[in-house]
Every structure is written in C-alpha cells, then in structure tokens.
Amino acid sequence: MTDILPAFEQGRHLLSVSQFTRENLKRLFDVADAVDPIAKRQAVCTALDGAMLGSLFFEPSTRTRLSFESAFQRLGGEVTTTTGFTFSSMAKGESIADTSRVVSGYSDVLVVRHPDEGSVAQFADASVVPVINAGDGAGEHPSQALLDVYTLEKELSLRDKVVDGSHLAIIGDLKFGRTVHSLMKLMSLYHHLTFTVFSPPGLELPSSIEQYVTQRGHHVHVVDNVVEAVHGVDVIYATRVQRERMTEELDQAGTRGDLLNWSILAEADNLDAILMHPLPRDSRPDAFDLSNDVDDLPGLAIFHQTDNGINVRMAIFLTTLGVSIEAVHLTTKQRSWKATLRP
Ligand code: ASP
Ligand code: CP
C-alpha cells in the first residue's frame, strides 16, 4: 500500500491510516461522538435502511468482525458474511479479484480481513464498492488505529492531558503486529510524541515505520528492557506475539513468561499508566502477553477500546456511504426495551 492514497471520504476505500489528516481525523471522531447513543443502544437508527455490508474475514477475528457488523446493523443496514477460506470458493481456487467483484456486486461496502500484506488493496482494485481494510497480514489495521487514537484522546483528557507531547511505550511483537504499524503512523499526525519501544529479539519494529515517525518530527527510543520501556510513560500499548505469522525458530525466541504484569509496572513505578492493547490478549501460560493481574489497575483502557470500536466503525460507514449526521438524527428514535440486568 502506498502513502499517496486519496483522503478517506464518501465513496473511498479505507486501506491505510495514511489517508488521514488531522482535519478528517477530527471529523471522523466528531461523528463517532455524535452516534454515541446509537452505539450504546439507547437509541435506534435506520439511516442505512436497505444498505448491505459484505463482511469477508479470511483470518480469525472476534471484535473487528462483530463490531463492524454490529455498527452496520445499529445504523439500520443488513450484513452478509463469510468467514475463513474453507467456506468460500477461494477453497476452490477462486482469485481475490473474482471474489471481490462478485461479492461487491451484492453489497454497498465491503469489510475485508486477509492474511497477506497488500491483499485488501487487491480486493479494492476489483471491487465496485468501497472496501475497508480490517487487517492485511502484517501490513495495516486502520480501523483499530482509529479506535485506539479515539480512545487515547478520551483517556488522556480524563487526566487533563492531550495526545500532543505525550510519551508512549509500545511493547511486544512490533514486527508482525499490524496494529502497531497503523497506530504509530496515525499518531504521527500529532505533535512532539515520544515512543519508547521494546520487543523480544527478532520481533523489532520495521525500520520503515520508525522512519515514517521520525521524519514527521517524533522521537523513537529503542530499549532492551521492559521495565525501562514503561518507566515514566503516559501510555503503554502492549501487543500479542503474532505466532501465526512466524517461523518456529522465531516463536522460540525469548517469548515466554509475561510481557507485562503488575510486578513489572510496580518495579517501573508506573502503576497509574494508561494501559492499552488491541486484543485478543493471549492468556495461556507463558504466552508473553499482558497479564490478567493488571485488570484492577485504574488506567486499564482495553475494554474502553473495544466499546469505542462500535462508534468509530459507525463513523467509518457513515463517511464512506455519504450519510450526514443530520440524516442520522432524522432517522433515530428512542429504544423501547430495557436490556439491563435486574439489581
Ligand atoms: N486483533 C489484532 C489484529 O488482528 C491484534 C492481534 O491479533 O494480536 O491485528
Ligand atoms: N483487535 C482485533 O483486531 O481483534 P480481532 O482479531 O478479534 O478482530
């Protein structure tokens, strides 16, 4: 994917975070704020009545697929979906181009996840409707970065801080972790950021991402110790080892125990940091991920990220399908059911 894709707006694909400026990012976040009652299911909307989402996931997913599909349905649209290669005709040798042309003929927008870097751009080339990249191999995951930054703005503002000038630790699998690639590129739109990065040997941040960030005036410090990485930062963004993308040798490379846990944060004197993770968190023993023993810490934002994913994905659909917030208000009514548990 190139850095010269058109800006993300009505009728455009969303393939990379490089399609954003500070201005269109703010517009998207304003829409995400405005649809909050619908995202929280306090109100019911039919703005996308008659619209069809084609949801194609050729890699495992829980939150991206379900939140994109929920977001579309909350706006009154319908969803047609296929998951995995086994249940699509790609298992019979059908090409990306043919699959994309066919399904785009059934849909008004496609959301696609595929294990190969650059593959979602190939879907976009053959599609007759806009295509949203829901993760292309180790490439990008733009909607995740958008919801991450949306969440980060909110978490920092609760502490009377802003993203500009903040200090982040980015830790874990920085080589294959596409969420980190999109996040660091998108955050480059802000000013005076410091990223301290830590990864196990062999899983270092690609130099292309480091260059992208430093060329835009930010600082990247590479450290080889997780305590040093998380000391003094405002935000910690931890990631899972992407074992599905690596060789057995790399899989053995020092990725055992916890990447981050309560004791490490205590030793780094940073138990108050904002804690983020794209999820899923690998909670199996020795998975080298964020431990569950941090879950009572005040800065834990991982489930704010997942909740905010609905708002941001609704805003993505409204933007690419050209629906104004006025049209959303005109087609919204209060809900008539009570969904909470009895006390
Ligand atoms: N769910 C994210 C992704 O698909 C992160 C991960 O799987 O670790 O990229
Ligand atoms: N964060 C994320 O993309 O999660 P899933 O892989 O479960 O969709």
Side-chain angles (χ1 to χ4, degrees), residues 4-15:
I4 47 166
L5 289 163
F8 179 60
E9 57 189 32
Q10 191 272 320
R12 297 292 190 196
H13 306 300
L14 174 51
L15 300 178

Side-chain angles (χ1 to χ4, degrees), residues 63-64 113 141 178-179 240 242 244-245 278-280:
R63 73 229 77 226
T64 308
R113 172 173 287 187
H141 192 344
R178 58 191 171 200
T179 66
R240 177 180 69 89
Q242 312 280 294
E244 67 273 34
R245 301 199 201 291
L279 301 183

Side-chain angles (χ1 to χ4, degrees), residues 1 20 29 86 108 141 210 230-231 234 240 294 305 322:
M1 274 180 244
F20 283 87
F29 288 175
T86 318
D108 299 289
H141 192 344
E210 184 172 341
V230 302
H231 173 74
D234 303 298
R240 177 180 69 89
V294 302
Q305 289 169 266

Side-chain angles (χ1 to χ4, degrees), residues 51-98:
M52 180 64 78
L53 166 66
S55 167
L56 305 178
F57 277 72
F58 298 104
E59 263 194 341
S61 170
T62 295
R63 73 229 77 226
T64 308
R65 183 169 74 83
L66 295 184
S67 64
F68 264 124
E69 294 180 359
S70 301
F72 206 78
Q73 286 163 330
R74 278 176 209 189
L75 291 167
E78 289 175 62
V79 179
T80 180
T81 188
T82 184
T83 52
F85 287 100
T86 318
F87 298 107
S88 92
S89 281
M90 283 202 166
K92 303 180 200 170
E94 190 164 46
S95 67
I96 285 181
D98 284 1

